[in-house]
Amino acid sequence: MMSETETNMETCSLPDEQIDDRKIDPTTVVKSLSEPVEETEEFLKESAGCLKMFENWNEVEQVTFVENLLSRMCHYQHGQVNTFLKPMLQRDFISALPAKGLDHIAENILAYLDARSLCAAELVCKEWYRVISEGNLWKKLIERRVLTDSQWKGLSERRAWDQYLFKQRHGETPKDHKFYRLLYPQIIQDIERIENNWRTGRHALQRIHCRSETSKGVYCLQYDDNKIISGLRDNTIKVWDRNTLECVQVLTGHTGSVLCLQYDENIIISGSSDSTVRVWDVKSGEMMNTLIHHCEAVLHLRFCDGIMVTCSKDRSIAVWDMQSPTEINLRRVLVGHRAAVNVVDFDEKYIVSASGDRTIKVWNTSTCEFVRTLNGHKRGIACLQYRDRLVVSGSSDNTIRLWDIECGACLRVLEGHEELVRCIRFDSKRIVSGAYDGKIKVWDLQAALDPRAPAGTLCLRTLVGSDNNIQPVASLCLQEHSGRVFRLQFDEFQIVSSSHDDTILIWDFLNVPVPEGARSPARSYTYVSK
């Protein structure tokens, strides 16, 4: 059923050929352009004659005559003519296209609308509503957001409404237009609730006790939807099931603490205080390769697209070519730091390294030539991340610095941690940092990049565990990390962190129960309902 509003707003025009066939009554024209005039017999006779002559001319001649006529009129008269022409020039092309058998073109045009505009378009008239509903345009809008926004994609998988998108499974009954029309505002509300949880620090907390038999501490980790892989001080790599939080695999072989690791769908590569880099099969856990080059502890590594970069306490950086897990060859050694190189990151343009010598150095990825040094930290640098033009670093001077890699300028200094900033990650919205003070802080990245933003507004939240947030399945301990935070990783829905206290914490901003009587967060998007 269509609403009364939609019926009243129906503005479909006549097809073009019907409009062209209509004869114009000169009397009506005169009345619409000016105040009521006395229509003399002479005026009616002369105007009829002019119109008869006008109709005998071709289109070009008619336009030329009207142009000459308009040029002899005053501004007020032009306004009156414009008022008369405006409704004649309007065309409801969305309604006209289906009438000519071009429904698909009308659908394609309306598919460019955002949610607010699509709501308004539904109220124009019955024909517009029909095109939107039969074209499944709300479904297409959701699919477009899932394809272009990682938060929408992640939420679709976690909330299981991805099964209703794109090509549906065989045998499933397709959902109708109303399902997607109602789903969209529910998704918006879910996203707003997640963002509000980040701002207010509300989360569910799960804890994994690593229960190391010898030395305690979790130096590094990486996770996905199915597993968490961690490197421990007791020389092992442990793999944890994300659902049960149980240890499902232990990789042994290193003779020193596992200080860094990274994995993809095929391999895990780890670096250790035993000075070696080892390659493991991600499925079987079998050790596939051991690289011996550095003469002291391997402190960090990154690999991507057939290149691996490692750094060491021996002050050097090694660049490797990866043909396969068993064929990894040293390409170049980069020397220039005057103390241990604690962290590296790279893309196709630059390799970025940070050291205990208080400097960040930038190198050309393809040629391995030195580019520039970033100076500013007062003490050694423990962590950094590099993406696009932005480098974010953390130091034992307790500060975080944001840098423009192209010019080497320091864009902002973030202060708040009380001890060495050991780990840092950022995405398009926020920076998350962990420090030896045992705290994890969430910072507003966009505000930090705005020089006008007051320093006191940049730290959104210092995360603290609580009795209300923690889930019993995870642990009996009701607090945040009790030791130094060594490593963290995060996405739109969670932070996963590890510590000297031999635990891994999962800070979940998605699955947080809404307290009774709590109000929904203020919305920046208003859904127009019918």
Side-chain angles (χ1 to χ4, degrees):
M1 291 293 292
M2 302 297 293
S3 68
E4 183 179 347
T5 304
E6 287 175 287
T7 305
N8 294 337
M9 291 182 66
E10 186 169 349
T11 58
C12 301
S13 63
L14 294 170
D16 291 347
E17 58 270 15
Q18 290 178 280
I19 294 172
D20 294 339
D21 289 341
R22 291 182 293 171
K23 299 298 182 181
I24 301 174
D25 183 350
T27 305
T28 305
V29 175
V30 173
K31 285 182 179 178
S32 65
L33 295 180
S34 62
E35 296 296 325
V37 296
E38 184 179 349
E39 299 172 353
T40 64
E41 185 177 343
E42 183 181 1
F43 169 77
L44 293 174
K45 183 178 179 181
E46 289 177 352
S47 64
C50 289
L51 287 172
K52 187 173 182 181
M53 292 175 62
F54 184 84
E55 290 172 354
N56 289 331
W57 297 333
N58 61 39
E59 290 183 0
V60 176
E61 292 170 334
Q62 289 175 341
V63 170
T64 303
F65 175 78
V66 172
E67 288 175 347
N68 289 327
L69 190 63
L70 289 170
S71 68
R72 288 165 172 76
M73 298 172 71
C74 69
H75 182 71
Y76 170 75
Q77 290 171 309
H78 290 157
Q80 294 296 307
V81 172
N82 182 62
T83 302
F84 173 73
L85 286 176
K86 192 173 289 184
M88 295 181 67
L89 294 173
Q90 293 175 346
R91 290 291 184 273
D92 181 359
F93 59 91
I94 294 298
S95 297
L97 286 168
K100 297 179 182 295
L102 300 173
D103 290 68
H104 61 289
I105 296 179
E107 291 173 12
N108 289 340
I109 293 170
L110 292 179
Y112 283 97
L113 298 179
D114 59 19
R116 187 188 299 274
S117 302
L118 198 56
C119 287
E122 286 183 323
L123 302 177
V124 171
C125 66
K126 292 180 179 179
E127 186 62 20
W128 283 47
Y129 180 82
R130 185 193 67 79
V131 171
I132 291 169
S133 60
E134 293 184 3
N136 246 333
L137 295 191
W138 283 102
K139 177 175 182 282
K140 292 176 182 177
L141 176 61
I142 294 171
E143 290 173 344
R144 189 163 70 245
R145 297 297 299 270
V146 169
L147 288 174
T148 57
D149 190 309
S150 61
Q151 187 173 33
W152 280 68
K153 185 178 188 302
L155 196 59
S156 73
E157 295 167 351
R158 287 165 172 80
R159 295 299 197 220
W161 43 263
D162 60 333
Q163 61 185 304
Y164 306 119
L165 304 178
F166 307 106
K167 188 176 181 180
Q168 295 186 354
R169 298 169 186 170
H170 180 69
E172 284 191 358
T173 304
K175 297 293 183 179
D176 61 11
H177 163 73
K178 290 183 179 179
F179 171 83
Y180 298 101
R181 195 181 190 285
L182 293 173
L183 176 61
Y184 191 93
Q186 292 172 9
I187 298 169
I188 294 295
Q189 188 177 32
D190 212 5
I191 289 173
E192 289 174 344
R193 187 178 294 112
I194 294 166
E195 292 302 311
N196 188 60
N197 289 339
W198 275 97
R199 289 192 298 271
T200 60
R202 294 192 68 251
H203 59 272
L205 188 63
Q206 293 180 298
R207 186 184 303 269
I208 298 173
H209 280 291
C210 294
R211 293 185 171 84
S212 301
E213 294 183 3
T214 54
S215 304
K216 293 185 177 181
V218 186
Y219 281 125
C220 54
L221 63 83
Q222 185 183 338
Y223 72 87
D224 57 40
D225 291 339
N226 302 311
K227 60 185 176 297
I228 301 172
I229 300 182
S230 58
L232 280 70
R233 192 179 180 189
D234 67 4
N235 307 350
T236 66
I237 297 170
K238 290 186 177 180
V239 183
W240 310 86
D241 183 278
R242 281 303 303 271
N243 295 318
T244 65
L245 304 184
E246 296 295 326
C247 181
V248 294
Q249 198 171 31
V250 180
L251 311 184
T252 59
H254 278 297
T255 57
S257 302
V258 181
L259 305 178
C260 55
L261 65 80
Q262 184 185 340
Y263 72 83
D264 61 17
E265 63 274 10
N266 299 313
I267 58 173
I268 304 167
I269 302 183
S270 58
S272 168
S273 59
D274 65 11
S275 306
T276 68
V277 175
R278 297 177 190 257
V279 184
W280 316 77
D281 185 285
V282 75
K283 294 179 181 177
S284 68
E286 176 189 358
M287 190 188 303
M288 305 173 71
N289 200 350
T290 300
L291 306 177
I292 301 174
H293 163 73
H294 291 290
C295 56
E296 292 191 66
V298 180
L299 301 179
H300 200 249
L301 64 86
R302 298 291 297 165
F303 71 88
C304 182
D305 297 329
I307 300 173
M308 179 172 65
V309 180
T310 60
C311 62
S312 171
K313 191 176 178 180
D314 65 13
R315 306 181 183 185
S316 74
I317 302 156
V319 183
W320 308 77
D321 290 315
M322 301 174 61
Q323 304 298 324
S324 70
T326 57
E327 188 178 351
I328 302 175
N329 300 306
L330 183 64
R331 180 205 298 181
R332 186 82 174 264
V333 177
L334 310 181
V335 179
H337 282 293
R338 294 177 289 105
V341 185
N342 293 318
V343 58
V344 289
D345 204 353
F346 76 97
D347 63 10
E348 67 279 356
K349 190 172 185 179
Y350 294 126
I351 297 170
V352 186
S353 58
S355 167
D357 65 10
R358 308 179 183 183
T359 68
I360 297 170
K361 292 189 180 294
V362 182
W363 319 75
N364 183 287
T365 301
S366 57
T367 66
C368 294
E369 296 300 318
F370 173 75
V371 177
R372 66 178 56 89
T373 299
L374 310 183
N375 289 296
H377 278 296
K378 307 303 182 186
R379 300 185 66 183
I381 302 164
C383 57
L384 67 73
Q385 182 185 351
Y386 156 55
R387 190 177 69 190
D388 299 325
R389 289 181 64 122
L390 183 64
V391 175
V392 181
S393 59
S395 165
S396 57
D397 63 12
N398 304 350
T399 69
I400 297 163
R401 287 181 179 254
L402 282 66
W403 312 80
D404 184 324
I405 196 170
E406 295 294 350
C407 65
C410 180
L411 306 174
R412 174 74 78 164
V413 180
L414 304 179
E415 297 179 306
H417 281 294
E418 299 169 0
E419 295 186 46
L420 180 153
V421 182
R422 180 65 173 81
C423 50
I424 197 147
R425 305 299 295 172
F426 70 89
D427 62 10
S428 60
K429 298 177 184 177
R430 53 184 68 94
I431 302 168
V432 182
S433 60
Y436 277 7
D437 58 14
K439 293 182 173 61
I440 293 174
K441 291 182 178 289
V442 181
W443 311 79
D444 186 330
L445 174 60
Q446 296 307 316
L449 293 172
D450 182 355
R452 299 167 298 179
T457 65
L458 303 181
C459 183
L460 300 176
R461 186 63 48 181
T462 300
L463 296 182
V464 178
S466 70
D467 295 358
N468 294 330
N469 288 332
I470 201 159
Q471 295 183 0
V473 69
S475 171
L476 296 176
C477 186
L478 303 178
Q479 60 177 1
E480 68 275 17
H481 285 301
S482 60
R484 298 171 171 179
V485 180
F486 283 142
R487 193 63 51 91
L488 64 80
Q489 182 185 345
F490 78 97
D491 56 42
E492 292 91 345
F493 311 106
Q494 63 199 324
I495 302 169
V496 180
S497 60
S498 66
S499 169
H500 186 267
D501 63 14
D502 209 37
T503 68
I504 297 170
L505 291 185
I506 303 167
W507 311 74
D508 186 352
F509 300 95
L510 174 63
N511 301 301
V512 183
V514 179
E516 288 187 26
R519 292 185 177 182
S520 297
R523 298 185 186 180
S524 57
Y525 165 79
T526 303
Y527 180 73
V528 181
S529 60
K530 299 194 300 177

